[in-house]
Amino acid sequence: MSASHRRARRRAAAATTALVVGLAGLVPATTAATAHEPVAPADTQFDTQFDKVPLVTEGLADPFELDVADDGRVVYIQRTGQVVVLDQDTLRRTTALDLDYSLDLLTQSDGLLGLTLDPDFTENGWLYLLWSDPDVAKMNLSRFTMGPDDTIDPASERRLLDYTIWRGEGRANSHMAGSLAMGPDGDLYVATGDNSDPFDQQGYTPIDERPGRRGWDAQGTSANTNDLRGKVLRITPEDDGTYTVPEGNLFAPGTEGTRPEIYGMGFRNPFRITVDPGTGAVMVGDYGPDARVADPLRGPEGQVELIRMTEPGNHGWPYCHADNQAYIDYDFATGESGEPFDCARPVNDSPNNTGLRELPPSQEPMVWYGYGPSEEFPEMGEGGAAPMAGPVYRFDPELDVKTKFPEAFDGRWFVSEYARNFYRALTLDESTGEVEAIDPFLPDETFVAPFEVEFGPDGSLYVIDFGLGSGAGRGSTNTDAGIYRIDHAADGRRPISRFTSDVDSGHEPLTVAFTGDTSTSPDGLDITYAWDFENDGVVDSTEPNPTHTYAERGQFEARLTVTDTDGFTGVSVHTITVGNTRPDVAFGAPVHGGFAELGDTVPYAVDVADVEDGSTDAGTIDCERVTVSTQLGHDSHAHPIDNYTGCTGTVFLDPADHGVGQNVYPVLRASYQDLGSADIPELTGQDAARLQVRDKEAEFFADGSGVTVADDADARGGRLVTDVDDGDRIAFGPLDLRGIDGLTIGAVRGASDTTVEVREGSPTGHTLGRVRIPRATGDGQVVSPTIRIRGEEGATTLYLVATSPREPDGGADLGLDWLVFHGRGVADDAAPAVTAEPVRGPRAGAPVDLAGTAVAPEGREIVSYRWDLGDGTTTDGAAVTHVYEQPGRYTARLIATDSEGTRDWTTVELTVRR
């Protein structure tokens, strides 16, 4: 509960000049936003007693959006193409429609993306879907009709509209948005992404106007008044399956160079939208670009937005973002930077624009924040930034449901953070559009990746936890995904039903040992158990941990109901399959924790063993049913990239440039869907391998002790690990050192001599190597010594441990900026072969000539050379001259990149003398 004083944000006009200067000229004074004081927690003492009731906890494949019917049915969609209906009384699920998407289409962000129910759904069965057309590069907005048996006849489709997309042009389909929402007046709102490749701009804005690069230019989509992408659309569905355009959108019907459906424009990826049922305000969560630091030649750091729209408008992308911070008009053809864009009077002069040249002024969001702590909105935390706009709650005093949210939450806006794994409740001043308070919601609950949230007609909150991974493979599912109902516990909290089984499949007779004593009462009450092993309404056991034998073939929903002494119940179900056995799937290669750089090609091998189908060792597995997907890990989540089939092969790890200083890494997921057994459905086995990049930021350690992560404008990526004193450490893992033979440490010298030891397995484990880093004689002295290491194959954790026995009173204060591992790791040799000439005995302050060359793999060419000189500076070119101002050990690294985006490097080690 929050008892803090509530206050609204105050405008501070006097801060305008400071803001402009602080952004190094990135925001012209005519468009600079005023500063805000941080918001405060609300002073309302609202009840925090809630039950998180599990509805679906298995078999979810990219669950994307849900809605709740007046009769209690939960309808949800999966990106893989399914519309599913959940009966809350029995927890039985019915697949109403399956678009049966192919693996090729499910790369990146295509698929079934949007769902909302018609206001009269329980009478007419109408629901609206936004879905990728499998045959043509376009998105379809359609109305379908659900029958009384909870199934949908595909022939019931009525196509409202469609729009062309740039499928297959780079990675343009990474940002597709897709959320649908119904307004209180019956208008339908549609969120569409900018459909531009986000990976070739170093984390800044995609405005590449070169010929053949339209998929990298959001000026042709978000900033195009004649295009439906990067927008929030508003239309009125008609009973005959068509639509009309309501009055009051951004452009009047008939305005040349515009689409009248546009309500809001200038969005990057408005991934989640909802409509306030009380005011009709449109609530939007818009994702931002990935730059971790501002660049005076490119623009501000990447930030995200929470937006409340009460009228149509332009929200700035790709010219402005956050509180109207302007990007730079950068020329991708020449590499030259122009002036900042004018947020008050944006002009779209891109050759890819088919709409108006002069655009409406850019609007400020309600909340904005980036990777680090926000001065204005510190309650939003720090880390990866992925805002999800949820609903505004409206209390209904006439609704006779005890579990509805209390009146204290009336008018609050519920949002979640997919990357930071939390929910927040925002208190709004609806007259001014200001945020008055941001409070934690469900702070004691655990969420893996909160993704979607809607209020049901019962006054409860329904949430999707996306889980880990992706359901792109045949029958594959997301790990730890779930759909939950959040009830207000007016008279006490429900007991939590939770159980596991030693097996979930096998042949009859199948004996299953169930473990239910992990079920609990949050209020500490005693509970009783009622098991219905076949979900047929018959109680089969009242033991906490019973055993049951299934004599007949079939697929059964085992159900456990627990009841506390106050009479409250909790229910959970799990599927038991009798007559088919789930396959075992494991990566033979690559190893989990192995090293590979984005842009590398990695061989893989998937081992499958299935009771009915045989095994890969025996050669009886149909390898066309084995799927391997690649994903780009980014902070705590991963983006789907490509899908492959086959038991063995190679995968290409798309470079997917997010800009310098990012926490990105490759993830591989393997799945095999077996052949089933007569009338018994197919089952799927899965495995995942998370790889380590060879070039990584020190601040993304897995564990640490005694250190601080701090902003530093001179650090690579703008942050580094500092306050490293005697006995302090950071750790990375799990990792596997096979194929690695060296480690370079980018360090900022501290106040005393410090030795960094590289240890394996624990802070006191086997020492792989050590290096002495002398004390600094001035500020910001960067050195980059290299340690030869060769660890044992197998998963381990690598510790960097500092020892500084003669440190001054203030501490050694060593800084660790980055790590570079040398060797190909688990990647193959399809990379540039780089060589460099050795250098001997340079002196501080004297010029040093560095030169090298590279040979590209067959069919590729070298497109760039860059020297990372090991003292915090970089320069382009194969041959360079550099001056090391301070003595010390340095590792100069020549990095060559080929036309596929694959890079490799060689090093020149230098001991610079006085």
Side-chain angles (χ1 to χ4, degrees):
M1 301 181 188
S2 173
S4 302
H5 177 67
R6 182 173 70 180
R7 67 180 185 274
R9 295 182 294 159
R10 296 199 303 267
R11 299 280 181 180
T16 301
T17 303
L19 179 62
V20 175
V21 173
L23 290 174
L26 296 182
V27 181
T30 55
T31 62
T34 50
H36 300 285
E37 286 191 358
V39 299
D43 61 3
T44 303
Q45 299 278 344
F46 48 70
D47 197 334
T48 59
Q49 293 285 91
F50 291 92
D51 286 324
K52 179 184 174 185
V53 181
L55 300 178
V56 183
T57 56
E58 61 182 12
L60 290 168
D62 286 12
F64 241 59
E65 199 159 30
L66 63 77
D67 205 347
V68 186
D70 289 341
D71 57 15
R73 285 176 293 170
V74 178
V75 184
Y76 66 91
I77 60 171
Q78 305 193 123
R79 187 177 69 91
T80 48
Q82 298 80 32
V83 180
V84 183
V85 182
L86 170 72
D87 184 320
Q88 291 198 65
D89 292 331
T90 64
L91 300 187
R92 290 192 180 96
R93 289 178 283 172
T94 302
T95 299
L97 177 69
D98 191 346
L99 298 175
D100 196 24
Y101 283 128
S102 67
L103 291 175
D104 291 341
L105 186 131
L106 290 172
T107 61
Q108 302 168 81
S109 300
D110 263 315
L112 176 52
L113 306 182
L115 159 78
T116 193
L117 303 181
D118 188 84
D120 297 320
F121 170 77
T122 53
E123 288 76 35
N124 58 31
W126 293 347
L127 68 161
Y128 300 90
L129 302 178
L130 185 69
W131 54 288
S132 297
D133 194 297
D135 303 314
V136 181
K138 65 178 182 177
M139 297 296 298
N140 300 321
L141 177 66
S142 303
R143 189 191 78 194
F144 288 86
T145 301
M146 184 177 292
D149 60 351
D150 287 344
T151 63
I152 296 172
D153 183 352
S156 70
E157 182 199 359
R158 298 293 181 268
R159 184 75 52 84
L160 278 74
L161 62 79
D162 54 45
Y163 55 92
T164 299
I165 57 175
W166 291 336
R167 182 181 297 158
E169 300 188 31
R171 296 293 184 186
N173 279 51
S174 296
H175 290 154
M176 301 303 294
S179 180
L180 302 182
M182 191 66 69
D185 52 3
D187 287 339
L188 176 61
Y189 293 81
V190 185
T192 67
D194 74 354
N195 189 206
S196 66
D197 188 312
F199 298 133
D200 280 354
Q201 299 86 31
Q202 298 78 51
Y204 297 97
T205 190
I207 51 173
D208 191 342
E209 299 176 1
R210 290 175 292 178
R213 300 281 290 182
R214 66 176 186 176
W216 289 258
D217 184 11
Q219 298 173 107
T221 60
S222 292
N224 187 347
T225 62
N226 201 31
D227 192 279
L228 296 184
R229 290 168 291 180
K231 309 294 193 297
V232 171
L233 314 178
R234 183 176 69 159
I235 61 175
T236 304
E238 301 295 337
D239 289 350
D240 62 359
T242 63
Y243 72 90
T244 56
V245 176
E247 293 183 359
N249 278 356
L250 188 56
F251 306 108
T255 303
E256 185 177 358
T258 69
R259 290 293 299 264
E261 298 91 345
I262 298 171
Y263 183 71
M265 64 177 290
F267 297 103
R268 183 176 186 256
N269 191 26
F271 199 74
R272 283 289 168 266
I273 63 170
T274 59
V275 181
D276 182 346
T279 66
V282 182
M283 322 302 286
V284 183
D286 194 20
Y287 280 44
D290 297 305
R292 286 186 179 262
V293 293
D295 184 338
L297 300 178
R298 301 297 297 277
E301 65 174 305
Q303 298 177 78
V304 300
E305 302 179 345
L306 290 169
I307 300 164
R308 181 176 184 264
M309 299 179 65
T310 57
E311 59 185 9
N314 174 23
H315 292 265
W317 183 256
Y319 303 123
C320 305
H321 215 52
D323 55 332
N324 272 349
Q325 298 178 30
Y327 284 98
I328 305 300
D329 191 358
Y330 178 77
D331 189 326
F332 280 81
T334 65
E336 296 180 353
S337 296
E339 297 298 316
F341 291 109
D342 186 343
C343 299
R345 294 172 294 276
V347 173
N348 186 351
D349 56 10
S350 168
N352 297 308
N353 180 32
T354 62
L356 300 179
R357 185 175 183 274
E358 287 78 25
L359 305 180
S362 177
Q363 305 297 309
E364 281 193 27
M366 176 174 280
V367 174
W368 64 92
Y369 56 93
Y371 288 98
S374 166
E375 291 186 10
E376 297 87 358
F377 309 102
E379 298 86 353
M380 298 307 293
E382 60 182 306
M388 298 292 191
V392 175
Y393 179 62
R394 293 298 171 181
F395 179 77
D396 181 0
E398 302 301 319
L399 180 63
D400 187 18
V401 178
K402 279 191 174 183
T403 54
K404 68 182 180 183
F405 274 43
E407 188 173 6
F409 283 96
D410 183 66
R412 282 188 168 82
W413 182 18
F414 289 81
V415 303
S416 64
E417 238 298 343
Y418 172 59
R420 302 178 186 182
N421 304 331
F422 62 61
Y423 283 89
R424 294 286 187 263
L426 277 62
T427 303
L428 312 179
D429 184 329
E430 294 174 356
S431 63
T432 64
E434 294 287 326
V435 179
E436 293 185 327
I438 299 176
D439 287 288
F441 179 67
L442 303 178
D444 298 326
E445 290 288 354
T446 299
F447 293 95
V448 179
F451 197 77
E452 154 77 337
V453 55
E454 300 286 350
F455 274 104
D458 54 0
S460 290
L461 195 66
Y462 291 77
V463 305
I464 291 178
D465 192 331
F466 193 75
L468 301 175
S470 177
R474 293 183 180 90
S476 62
T477 56
N478 301 37
T479 304
D480 294 328
I483 298 177
Y484 303 90
R485 187 183 70 241
I486 310 299
D487 292 337
H488 177 232
D491 297 323
R493 291 173 292 179
R494 295 173 182 266
I496 300 170
S497 175
R498 185 187 297 120
F499 72 95
T500 59
S501 61
D502 61 341
V503 296
D504 69 354
S505 62
H507 281 269
E508 73 282 5
L510 179 65
T511 299
V512 182
F514 294 97
T515 301
D517 60 7
T518 55
S519 300
T520 60
S521 164
D523 293 335
L525 303 178
D526 291 335
I527 58 175
T528 57
Y529 302 81
W531 294 88
D532 181 352
F533 297 122
E534 299 178 6
N535 205 357
D536 58 3
V538 177
V539 174
D540 299 305
S541 174
T542 58
E543 298 295 321
N545 304 311
T547 297
H548 180 71
T549 298
Y550 291 88
E552 304 295 330
R553 294 166 57 88
Q555 201 163 55
F556 305 93
E557 296 291 328
R559 177 185 179 102
L560 170 61
T561 302
V562 294
T563 305
D564 65 23
T565 51
D566 284 345
F568 289 108
T569 61
V571 180
S572 59
V573 298
H574 290 297
T575 302
I576 304 296
T577 302
V578 184
N580 187 22
T581 309
R582 189 177 302 280
D584 290 324
V585 175
F587 274 109
V591 294
H592 183 63
F595 282 85
E597 198 70 5
L598 296 171
D600 282 344
T601 301
V602 175
Y604 74 83
V606 179
D607 299 324
V608 178
D610 185 83
V611 171
E612 295 80 21
D613 301 352
S615 67
T616 47
D617 287 344
T620 57
I621 294 296
D622 179 2
C623 288
E624 289 298 310
R625 299 180 70 86
V626 173
T627 300
V628 174
S629 62
T630 58
Q631 298 174 352
L632 174 68
H634 184 201
D635 296 316
S636 62
H637 59 280
H639 306 283
I641 299 293
D642 286 315
N643 293 317
Y644 300 79
T645 57
C647 297
T648 59
T650 59
V651 297
F652 178 67
L653 306 177
D654 193 291
D657 178 23
H658 274 56
V660 69
Q662 292 293 328
N663 183 22
V664 292
Y665 48 88
V667 178
L668 274 64
R669 292 179 65 89
S671 66
Y672 170 72
Q673 186 178 61
D674 68 18
L675 299 172
S677 178
D679 57 336
I680 306 302
E682 301 93 339
L683 295 174
T684 300
Q686 302 180 131
D687 192 24
R690 172 174 169 169
L691 305 183
Q692 297 278 354
V693 293
R694 296 181 286 137
D695 189 344
K696 62 195 319 113
E697 298 295 317
E699 61 265 26
F700 298 132
F701 54 82
D703 186 27
S705 176
V707 301
T708 302
V709 176
D711 293 335
D712 188 320
D714 294 325
R716 193 178 76 169
R719 306 193 90 193
L720 81 166
V721 180
T722 189
D723 294 333
V724 182
D725 301 318
D726 183 46
D728 294 345
R729 64 181 185 268
I730 56 175
F732 299 86
L735 50 79
D736 190 304
L737 290 169
R738 68 187 69 193
I740 297 298
D741 56 20
L743 170 63
T744 298
I745 301 174
V748 181
R749 290 158 59 176
S752 71
D753 291 353
T754 303
T755 296
V756 176
E757 298 177 336
V758 181
R759 294 181 175 268
E760 191 175 23
S762 77
T764 59
H766 172 64
T767 301
L768 297 180
R770 60 170 56 88
V771 64
R772 176 178 166 272
I773 299 174
R775 67 180 180 86
T777 58
D779 292 335
Q781 295 177 0
V782 177
V783 292
S784 51
T786 293
I787 304 170
R788 300 301 160 194
I789 62 173
R790 189 175 297 278
E792 298 291 331
E793 293 186 355
T796 189
T797 301
L798 210 63
Y799 288 82
L800 272 63
V801 182
T803 58
S804 183
R806 290 183 296 277
E807 65 183 46
D809 291 342
D813 199 27
L814 177 74
L816 299 174
D817 193 358
W818 47 264
L819 309 176
V820 172
F821 291 84
H822 304 292
R824 294 295 295 157
V826 298
D828 68 9
D829 293 326
V834 191
T835 58
E837 299 175 9
V839 175
R840 295 184 179 178
R843 290 186 179 276
V848 178
D849 294 325
L850 298 165
T853 188
V855 177
E858 185 177 354
R860 308 184 192 180
E861 59 181 346
I862 301 297
V863 296
S864 72
Y865 289 95
R866 167 162 286 201
W867 280 95
D868 182 340
L869 296 158
D871 62 350
T873 61
T874 61
T875 188
D876 293 329
V880 301
T881 299
H882 184 63
V883 175
Y884 290 90
E885 299 291 348
Q886 295 291 331
R889 289 181 58 186
Y890 300 92
T891 302
R893 184 166 56 121
L894 176 59
I895 308 165
T897 304
D898 66 24
S899 50
E900 288 294 314
T902 302
R903 64 179 195 154
D904 208 349
W905 52 78
T906 192
T907 59
V908 177
E909 295 182 47
L910 306 97
T911 300
V912 177
R913 299 173 294 165
R914 294 188 183 275

